[in-house]
Amino acid sequence: MSGRKNAGRTSPWLLILISAGCFCATYNFLTMHGRGRDGPRKLLGGGGRGSYGSRSGSDPAKRFHVALTATDALYSQWQSRIMHYWYKEMRDRPGSDMGGFTRILHSGKPDGLMDEIPTMVVDPLPEGKDKGYIVLNRPWAFVQWLQRAKIDEDYILMAEPDHVFVKPLPNLAHGDEPAAFPFFYIKPTENEKILRKFFPEEKGPVSKIDPIGNSPVIIKKAQLEKIAPTWMNVSLKMKEDEDTDKAFGWVLEMYAYAVASVLHGVHHSLRKDFMIQPPWDLKTENTFIIHYTYGCDYTMKGQLTYGKIGEWRFDKRSYLESPPPRNLSLPPPGVPESVVTLVKMVNEATANIPGWEDER
């Protein structure tokens, strides 16, 4: 990929902003972030634009840019490669409104996938600011990308490495109403006392907060440009608040996006058909994305043994230090179709991605 350059360094102004955790100053400070100690910041890799040429057949006004946040850890890399493979497979099929693709790499430096996946390198939070919660870098990564990238599409899909497209994805948003997947464990009304620290009573009942995270979400670029800085600051504030951090744990950043959205008057259309999550969801026929965040453990008779390592299993956490090998064994008879499809799609991707098991 041409035009790859050094990512630059974090601006001192950013450090002041993050330390202060100031909500109202976000926009002014971030526009000042364009120049670091080495002069104007420069982009690497894809620069935020897809590298596959123009689309035909899809309404240009409905196309969305696929934005994937990731790190340079091998665990994130192999998932990103599979995700990107299935994006390419589905992008130009009938019914797709997919546009360009960008992996937003928030490790601060290029990695071995720059030539394989369109990528923009952005800065992580200052050391120690995420307090070991790596996902806290996601909103800051989006702030930087939206500020600096040239994005041709009017809409953006916020996605994750462990997403697999099982069919072409249309634009599920309706004008100014974004589309999002409702998560059963995001429960604003059951956490009113905590959420009132970030969503004051004058803003209305906490039931106005959508039960969502930031991904998957299809949203207008103009809306996300306004929401992202607030999302970043709410995330940091929540992490700094001991009670909130304890209550929300690993879904803290999801609550922060939901709060930031409603603070900007944005409400989402809740689409249960957006994605499924095996092993709990059994079929792929009425969905667009498989999210393989949960381990899938079964006996050889096809019985689920969740919470206990099965005789047959597929769990992404089994591959923290190395990618899954090609040609994984298929599940035994009786295992739900969603799990079978997932493993088959992983196998197809790894069989066709060049240098799959090479060190990156």
Side-chain angles (χ1 to χ4, degrees), residues 102-305:
T102 301
R103 181 181 62 135
I104 309 171
L105 183 63
H106 54 76
S107 299
K109 61 184 185 299
D111 65 2
L113 297 181
M114 302 298 293
D115 292 327
E116 180 178 329
I117 305 176
T119 297
M120 173 182 278
V121 176
V122 297
D123 288 323
L125 291 168
E127 186 175 356
K129 194 64 183 177
D130 64 16
K131 299 182 179 180
Y133 180 52
I134 192 69
V135 183
L136 208 62
N137 287 277
R138 182 178 293 157
W140 171 224
F142 270 107
V143 168
Q144 295 173 83
W145 177 63
L146 289 164
Q147 183 186 7
R148 305 204 310 263
K150 184 182 185 304
I151 307 165
D152 294 332
E153 298 84 357
D154 290 332
Y155 290 85
I156 291 167
L157 165 67
M158 292 187 282
E160 297 181 15
D162 58 353
H163 287 176
V164 171
F165 296 106
V166 294
K167 66 178 66 168
L169 180 61
N171 188 339
L172 302 177
H174 298 284
D176 290 334
E177 184 179 55
F181 178 80
F183 289 91
F184 71 89
Y185 47 78
I186 301 298
K187 301 176 180 180
T189 56
E190 294 183 16
N191 292 280
E192 179 169 4
K193 182 178 179 180
I194 290 174
L195 288 171
R196 282 304 183 197
K197 298 179 181 181
F198 315 97
F199 185 71
E201 289 190 13
E202 57 265 28
K203 295 293 185 179
V206 294
S207 59
K208 291 175 65 177
I209 301 173
D210 293 327
I212 62 171
N214 83 288
S215 176
V217 166
I218 298 177
I219 187 171
K220 275 190 172 179
K221 177 175 59 180
Q223 292 175 308
L224 189 56
E225 287 172 339
K226 295 177 181 178
I227 292 171
T230 306
W231 173 27
M232 180 187 75
N233 277 318
V234 172
S235 296
L236 291 169
K237 284 287 190 180
M238 285 184 170
K239 190 64 180 174
E240 291 167 0
D241 184 87
E242 185 175 343
D243 292 338
T244 305
D245 189 22
K246 182 177 179 180
F248 291 164
W250 64 274
V251 298
L252 180 149
E253 166 266 342
M254 298 172 70
Y255 271 103
Y257 174 79
V259 169
S261 297
V262 74
L263 286 173
H264 286 275
V266 175
H267 294 276
H268 300 70
S269 170
L270 304 182
R271 297 291 301 252
K272 289 186 177 181
D273 61 340
F274 211 146
M275 74 177 188
I276 61 168
Q277 301 184 97
W280 312 117
D281 299 306
L282 308 181
K283 296 182 180 295
T284 61
E285 60 185 355
N286 295 316
T287 195
F288 299 99
I289 295 171
I290 294 177
H291 181 210
Y292 56 98
T293 189
Y294 298 107
C296 300
D297 289 272
Y298 293 87
T299 68
M300 295 310 292
K301 295 182 179 180
Q303 297 174 332
L304 180 66
T305 63

